Amino acid sequence: MKLVAITLDCPDPLALAAFYQQATGLEPHPKSDADFAGLNGEHGLVIGFQRVDDYLAPRWPGQIVPQQLHICFKVDEDLDVAEARLLELGAGKPDHQPHGDKARVLTDPAGHPFCISPR
């Protein structure tokens, strides 16, 4: 069995794909549209974003609307530099930061939490 795609629910697939494209440098999937957008990752892995009507963003770290998925990324630059770049692209930074100086928890524009840590 081979993992070929990870898909996130969101209110605006093209906007969320644009955020992750700017954050990661991955290329857009050629069949992306307003209902489903994707980014082509390494080894054939696609990160997908699908439109969900009445989408509710996760409320991390609370569990009223649980995170359901948590993505972790390694960054080449200093964590402060990477964090600043991602915040400028539209990421958020929750007050709760459980990893100290080892990693940062951010949220994408649709509210999905993700971590960045040094390579």
Side-chain angles (χ1 to χ4, degrees):
M1 191 161 53
K2 177 182 177 185
L3 179 64
V4 296
I6 296 171
T7 301
L8 304 174
D9 292 348
C10 64
D12 186 342
L14 291 171
L16 195 56
F19 168 79
Y20 279 105
Q21 179 185 11
Q22 291 174 342
T24 64
L26 297 175
E27 292 297 318
H29 190 280
K31 294 184 180 179
S32 294
D33 61 31
D35 289 320
F36 181 88
L39 298 175
N40 295 322
E42 294 180 23
H43 310 292
L45 180 66
V46 173
I47 301 174
F49 311 94
Q50 66 186 3
R51 177 179 304 284
V52 171
D53 294 331
D54 302 320
Y55 171 78
L56 295 175
R59 301 285 189 250
W60 189 85
Q63 294 298 305
I64 292 172
V65 181
Q67 64 182 338
Q68 301 171 14
L69 178 73
H70 186 105
I71 302 173
C72 296
F73 295 95
K74 296 283 186 182
V75 296
D76 290 326
E77 67 258 70
D78 176 81
L79 278 181
D80 290 335
V81 172
E83 177 185 310
R85 180 175 64 83
L86 292 162
L87 291 173
E88 192 171 296
L89 291 174
K93 183 177 179 184
D95 291 334
H96 182 64
Q97 293 292 318
H99 305 296
D101 293 334
K102 295 179 187 176
R104 307 276 166 80
V105 178
L106 302 174
T107 55
D108 69 25
H112 304 104
F114 66 94
C115 283
I116 57 172
S117 61
R119 214 175 267 272

